[in-house]
Amino acid sequence: MKKNLLLLSILLLVGTLSVRANGITLQKVALTDTNKTAKTAMIRFNIAWENSWRDSINWDAAWIFVKFRELKDSVWKYRHLTLSQTGNLPGTGNTTMKFAVSSDNKGVFYYRQLPGSGNVKMDSVKLLWNYALDKIANIDSVEIKVFATEMVYVPAGNFSLGDGNGTQRSYNSFQLKNAPNNYAVITDKWSPLINTKNEGNQGMQYDDAILYTDGIRISGLGGLDISGDKVAEYPDFPTGYRSFYCMKYDVTQGQYADFLNTLSLRDTTLSYYYTDTSRLKKVPGKYKLALQTLDPVYGMTPLDLQRHTIVMDSTEVKYTVSRPDRAYAKGNTTTYLSFSDWAALRPMTELEYEKAARGPLPPIYKTYNNNNYNNYNADTTSNWSGFDWAWGNDTSYARTNSMTGNNTYNVLTYSGVENGTETFSNYNVYKRYINPVYSSNNMGNKTFSGGDGGDGPYRVGIFATDSSTRISSGATYYGIMDFSKNVSKIVVSISYPAGRTFSYKVHGDGMLNAYGNSDNAEFFSNGNNGPIMGGGSYLNKTGAVSERQNGYQFIGFRSVRTAPSDN
């Protein structure tokens, strides 16, 4: 079963298109019910996706948004369609669905109204567009693209931060300042002082003295207090306590190619340097401004793309992708901000990351038993140690962080061609802690067998099957996939003032500037160049929930959005 997804794009001029891409299907897209007097129209489509659920805790949803341009425009202009708060129709089908429209009208969450599980198949879903708000004079000259991506709702509530047990904890993780190596619990009240001190005094190269030495206080609803007086200097920082939606999977290469294919060519002076190459001679110079920022292999013909399959056809000036279900792994802070802005979402904070992984449960941390971490026949409960992994309390037989001692366990075999249906055919409990992105890392050395070969990202959701559990699929408490596997994750840090200015109230507006950057300093008070993003510091999330590691080359991301008030 394929439990992954792509961002789907539907181009509409006349007639309809049907596009199938993994988890979500959009069909029969059309502009209907046009009222030229009121200057409104309905965007109609059929939608379906697999393995949807709603239970007493949370649910999955589709985040739907629309891009448009008028035919007089020669190029896409990052114009993001403004939807209506009312007048939207959830359609008819095999279940009862509802909308939660974002407060800025940039998109809608679409999900089950009642508890249930199974596939969703809904027809004649309609979103109301007041096109006058988007300064459209002639609705007959409009081209639109509709996008949908699968999200998971993370409800409000308490959660644990850090994974210490009083004697040990993950590298550079959060801890109670006055009880080192102990995790904190984030509630709607002020926490004790929290810092990120670590062995070897290496933390200060990543965190400022306020976080590393003095400690800060966190209130789920109050924000961040850096002076110790229980008054927030940063009241709007997304602490993870409030409810939010998180992308179910890492951004895929298919999603990123869709993103690149809607970049702007709007008129601007060519005052910004761009690299020229013979391969891209036919690409307009203004387009290159954005491409050199957002295309990770722009101007290059690398010998080893490291499983990166997004390629630009310079004749058509269009990106294609041969492995659209594979995680995008060439991310950085600029591309993360830009993608999130373009999709009318926002980046995830490190506090939200830990909340989304554990839910309300405490961390699970075991210590090594007599350093017996290379006992390949030992039970995890007595001999194997692990930090706190996103899939929870794994007490099955498992292998250690170091897989160098026994080659029997470090080979992962693809089931066949990497076409979006592939799995690791020999994946089992003995290989739970292997992350096959890297040939050597903190989740074990490995070699590939079959598939396309090479080190690098693989299909999102590859470990999930019809019969998989949270542990075997690698899912978080809330059903979010691949948190502790696949590519490293970029998250927003609280390690110094620039990151702390981030706000749960601010999301992307769907517009980028001519250089492909997030515009108007939307996410951070000091603009786009200030915030360093990573784990508890400059680092990236790589495996264990609270552990921060540095320097990995395969970096991805996933975006989030604060839940609407009427959710």
Side-chain angles (χ1 to χ4, degrees):
M1 179 195 65
K2 300 196 300 184
K3 293 187 70 174
N4 50 340
L5 68 121
L6 288 179
L7 260 167
L8 307 176
S9 61
I10 309 294
L11 276 74
L12 171 65
L13 272 174
V14 179
T16 61
L17 290 176
S18 172
V19 175
R20 170 73 185 176
N22 296 332
I24 295 182
T25 301
L26 292 173
Q27 295 178 321
K28 297 185 178 180
V29 178
L31 282 176
T32 65
D33 307 292
T34 300
N35 185 328
K36 293 186 177 181
T37 301
K39 294 188 176 181
T40 62
M42 301 296 288
I43 302 168
R44 187 190 67 199
F45 53 89
N46 299 344
I47 187 169
W49 73 90
E50 300 173 347
N51 305 300
S52 169
W53 85 92
R54 178 169 186 152
D55 56 28
S56 60
I57 298 173
N58 71 321
W59 55 83
D60 70 338
W63 169 245
I64 304 169
F65 60 96
V66 187
K67 302 286 185 177
F68 77 96
R69 67 166 174 155
E70 295 181 88
L71 293 185
K72 66 181 181 181
D73 300 325
S74 60
V75 296
W76 288 96
K77 288 193 173 182
Y78 299 102
R79 299 176 71 182
H80 198 100
L81 189 147
T82 304
L83 297 171
S84 174
Q85 286 286 331
T86 60
N88 303 302
L89 302 175
T92 59
N94 65 346
T95 188
T96 304
M97 304 291 286
K98 66 174 291 186
F99 294 112
V101 184
S102 65
S103 60
D104 56 8
N105 301 332
K106 297 298 182 181
V108 300
F109 291 104
Y110 183 65
Y111 55 93
R112 289 175 178 267
Q113 184 171 331
L114 301 171
S117 62
N119 298 339
V120 167
K121 187 179 185 302
M122 302 297 293
D123 296 337
S124 296
V125 179
K126 292 184 178 181
L127 300 176
L128 180 61
W129 180 22
N130 185 341
Y131 61 83
L133 295 178
D134 290 321
K135 298 180 173 58
I136 295 294
N138 182 6
I139 191 65
D140 297 325
S141 67
V142 171
E143 181 180 3
I144 67 171
K145 287 189 175 185
V146 180
F147 296 85
T149 186
E150 199 168 350
M151 309 285 284
V152 174
Y153 175 66
V154 178
N158 300 350
F159 68 99
S160 298
L161 187 63
D163 65 355
N165 67 347
T167 59
Q168 285 185 295
R169 54 172 169 67
S170 296
Y171 178 84
N172 203 41
S173 66
F174 292 107
Q175 63 178 8
L176 293 177
K177 173 178 168 55
N178 296 321
N181 295 327
N182 283 280
Y183 66 87
V185 177
I186 305 303
T187 71
D188 59 351
K189 306 296 190 296
W190 286 109
S191 72
L193 288 172
I194 296 170
N195 72 344
T196 57
K197 201 175 184 68
N198 68 72
E199 295 74 24
N201 295 318
Q202 299 179 25
M204 272 296 285
Q205 62 183 303
Y206 307 118
D207 301 332
D208 66 10
I210 292 173
L211 181 60
Y212 177 76
T213 304
D214 300 334
I216 66 173
R217 296 184 192 274
I218 302 172
S219 165
L221 295 178
L224 305 179
D225 163 30
I226 65 171
S227 61
D229 60 0
K230 299 184 180 180
V231 176
E233 287 80 11
Y234 303 97
D236 295 334
F237 187 84
T239 61
Y241 184 88
R242 291 180 174 85
S243 59
F244 62 95
Y245 282 90
C246 176
M247 289 181 66
K248 188 175 183 180
Y249 304 97
D250 295 316
V251 169
T252 65
Q253 294 184 28
Q255 289 175 307
Y256 201 80
D258 279 344
F259 165 53
L260 291 175
N261 281 330
T262 59
L263 293 181
S264 173
L265 298 180
R266 58 187 165 181
D267 293 338
T268 184
T269 58
L270 292 178
S271 59
Y272 191 83
Y273 172 76
Y274 65 83
T275 303
D276 205 357
T277 70
S278 59
R279 182 175 68 91
L280 302 176
K281 284 293 185 183
K282 295 183 179 180
V283 178
K286 295 167 187 175
Y287 199 15
K288 294 177 185 178
L289 296 177
L291 294 188
Q292 70 176 1
T293 301
L294 298 175
D295 181 352
V297 295
Y298 173 82
M300 298 171 55
T301 309
L303 296 177
D304 181 8
L305 287 173
Q306 298 173 301
R307 296 173 61 80
H308 181 78
T309 67
I310 301 173
V311 179
M312 186 175 70
D313 182 330
S314 57
T315 301
E316 297 293 330
V317 194
K318 180 180 179 181
Y319 284 88
T320 62
V321 56
S322 59
R323 296 291 183 258
D325 302 311
R326 188 177 291 170
Y328 175 72
K330 293 189 176 294
N332 55 44
T333 58
T334 296
T335 55
Y336 190 20
L337 291 171
S338 296
F339 181 90
S340 297
D341 191 353
W342 170 84
L345 299 170
R346 62 170 173 82
M348 182 189 334
T349 70
E350 55 185 331
L351 307 186
E352 290 174 317
Y353 182 97
E354 297 205 24
K355 165 70 172 294
R358 296 191 190 96
L361 301 179
I364 300 160
Y365 192 106
K366 306 180 187 72
T367 58
Y368 287 110
N369 181 21
N370 298 322
N371 294 318
N372 190 18
Y373 55 85
N374 276 314
N375 185 345
Y376 289 89
N377 297 309
D379 190 321
T380 298
T381 56
S382 60
N383 286 289
W384 193 87
S385 168
F387 302 141
D388 195 29
W389 305 92
W391 55 81
N393 189 12
D394 186 355
T395 58
S396 62
Y397 284 90
R399 299 306 149 205
T400 71
N401 284 351
S402 174
M403 300 298 294
T404 57
N406 190 324
N407 290 332
T408 303
Y409 298 106
N410 66 7
V411 178
L412 284 166
T413 302
Y414 281 104
S415 59
V417 176
E418 293 185 58
N419 60 3
T421 65
E422 73 276 6
T423 61
F424 290 120
S425 59
N426 63 339
Y427 175 72
N428 54 40
V429 296
Y430 299 104
K431 304 179 181 185
R432 188 99 75 218
Y433 296 87
I434 302 175
N435 186 356
V437 167
Y438 303 100
S439 59
S440 177
N441 77 342
N442 70 330
M443 294 181 73
N445 299 329
K446 65 94 188 68
T447 58
F448 278 132
S449 175
D452 296 340
D455 294 330
Y458 46 89
R459 177 174 73 83
V460 298
I462 197 170
F463 299 103
T465 67
D466 286 325
S467 59
S468 60
T469 64
R470 175 188 170 189
I471 290 175
S472 64
S473 67
T476 75
Y477 177 86
Y478 294 111
I480 306 169
M481 307 305 296
D482 302 335
F483 252 45
S484 286
K485 296 182 179 180
N486 219 333
V487 294
S488 301
K489 315 294 189 288
I490 307 174
V491 290
V492 179
S493 170
I494 61 172
S495 60
Y496 65 102
R500 295 171 194 143
T501 66
F502 195 56
S503 172
Y504 74 91
K505 299 176 181 178
V506 179
H507 302 90
D509 64 359
M511 301 285 289
L512 304 180
N513 66 23
Y515 308 138
N517 291 319
S518 176
D519 58 345
N520 299 323
E522 285 171 282
F523 294 129
F524 299 92
S525 63
N526 63 335
N528 298 316
N529 298 321
I532 291 180
M533 305 162 75
S537 57
Y538 182 66
L539 312 177
N540 297 304
K541 298 279 191 176
T542 57
V545 174
S546 295
E547 186 176 26
R548 282 79 175 178
Q549 293 290 336
N550 192 20
Y552 289 141
Q553 57 186 318
F554 300 114
I555 298 174
F557 46 76
R558 66 183 80 199
S559 302
V560 302
R561 188 173 180 110
T562 304
S565 59
D566 63 347
N567 200 63

